[in-house]
Amino acid sequence: MQHARRQVWLRRLQALGPGLISGASDNDPTTVATLAVIGSTTTYALGWLVLLVIPLLAVVQAIGTHVGAVTKEGLEDLIRRRYGAGAAFVLLVSILFVNVLTLAADLEGGGAALQLLTHIDYRVFVLPLAAIALFLLIRGNFTVVERILVYVPLAFLAYVFAAAFAHPDWGAVLRDSFVPHMQASHAFVAGAIALLGTTLTAYAYVWQQIETAERPPPLRRLGLVQIDATAGAVLAGLTFWFIMVATGATLGAQHHPVQTAGDAAAALRPVAGAAASALFGVGLLGSALLALPVLLATSAYIFAEMCGWTGRLDSTFFQARRFYLVMIVTAAAACAIAFAGIAPIKLLFVASIASGIATPVSLAFMLLAASDKRIVKEQPLDPRLKIAGWATTGIVAAAAAIFLYQTATGQS
């Protein structure tokens, strides 16, 4: 009897993983750089929004999990089949544009990490990083890759210690983290939309839905899979907060805005001393290696679904040539952007803002699918999740609208 119970729990634990990976991949170089910029320019002023992101991200991941488990289809497939090619094309553009830009930024981020470790120009590493990510997806067993990637987020524990050793003004940290307040400055609004964009980015919850759809759990275990998704969101969200506190207590207190990866690494100096650059480089490289395959795979899936092609990561290259060619073309486009001469930290922050502007589109489509009885049939979405999901969409859309208005009118 005890052995049987152990086997049941082992089978249940096998359902865990995708949520942790999609949540942890959300903590990519784009997110790390965005939080470093926010901490260095606004100190702790956006701490309340960083904490608010945790339940928002958990809600979004839980909805993606529900739709994937119930329909056993990806989001692009569902929208094309239910709402037509026009709606599917809008969804494709909103996700793919941000994916390519984020992929370029993360390639630069990974290159910047290796530059910190080797003192060789980051551009030298852009193509090798893209090639490694493609090799893992095309020639490797992605299930094995997943098992390795799930441990990468442990590198981010350094930020927990960095925040403590930086000796921040904990009274100010707690006040700004638990008492919401707004500022009208463009820097504050830009930081807010970049934060929402990089944390609620479409590729994380679209990937969560794809992974759940490909390996759908029995519906009686849907709650366990949603716990996995929520755990990934909470792990990522807490890391976000510690990065902001660490950079705010060091760079923000010194009024030193982050402009390079070396600047961002300075936030780890209180805990790592002279090894701060190396420690930050390892963490940034780990986050890039985690995010790059997810970004490439998500791009291939949504494009293949839009075109009605077959293809999945378990297929060989010759079984799904077009599926893998989309990955190669996506990587080539991202490399071209990475070589355009935009500084890594700037490109990482710009990618976050672009994601914040586009995210409400994909969120709205996911919620439409989750609310459509012809799609979810006898497994409707919990009304509380539906309300929370639309509220999340509204928050991001409002922030994007304010940012666009300020940018168009030249407000500072």
Side-chain angles (χ1 to χ4, degrees), residues 16-27 61 142-153 203-204 207-208 211 215 228-229 231-233 235-236 290-291 293-294:
L16 299 178
L20 288 173
I21 291 169
S22 60
S25 68
D26 204 15
N27 208 342
Q61 292 290 80
F142 194 70
T143 303
V144 174
V145 175
E146 274 191 336
R147 299 301 178 194
I148 298 170
L149 294 181
V150 77
Y151 295 103
V152 173
Y203 81 79
W207 178 249
Q208 173 68 15
E211 281 281 84
R215 291 180 289 183
D228 172 44
L235 173 64
L290 184 65
V294 175

Side-chain angles (χ1 to χ4, degrees), residues 105-243:
D106 284 355
L107 284 169
E108 281 201 11
L114 286 165
Q115 181 174 332
L116 288 174
L117 296 171
T118 65
H119 306 293
I120 299 172
D121 189 281
Y122 74 90
R123 285 166 290 196
V124 172
F125 301 106
V126 169
L127 287 175
L129 283 171
I132 289 169
L134 287 169
F135 178 81
L136 288 174
L137 292 167
I138 296 174
R139 296 295 302 273
N141 184 326
F142 194 70
T143 303
V144 174
V145 175
E146 274 191 336
R147 299 301 178 194
I148 298 170
L149 294 181
V150 77
Y151 295 103
V152 173
L154 293 176
F156 297 120
L157 291 176
Y159 290 107
V160 179
F161 299 104
F165 280 89
H167 302 295
D169 179 349
W170 287 109
V173 171
L174 295 175
R175 182 177 62 252
D176 287 344
S177 296
F178 292 99
V179 181
H181 58 283
M182 295 292 295
Q183 297 177 16
S185 70
H186 190 62
F188 184 91
V189 175
I193 189 61
L195 173 62
L196 291 169
T198 194
T199 54
L200 298 174
T201 186
Y203 81 79
Y205 51 82
V206 170
W207 178 249
Q208 173 68 15
Q209 181 176 337
I210 290 169
E211 281 281 84
T212 308
E214 284 211 339
R215 291 180 289 183
L219 292 180
R220 68 179 183 277
R221 286 184 11 217
L222 178 57
L224 182 64
V225 181
Q226 287 180 317
I227 289 173
D228 172 44
T230 302
V234 172
L235 173 64
L238 290 175
T239 306
F240 302 158
W241 188 77
F242 281 113
I243 294 173

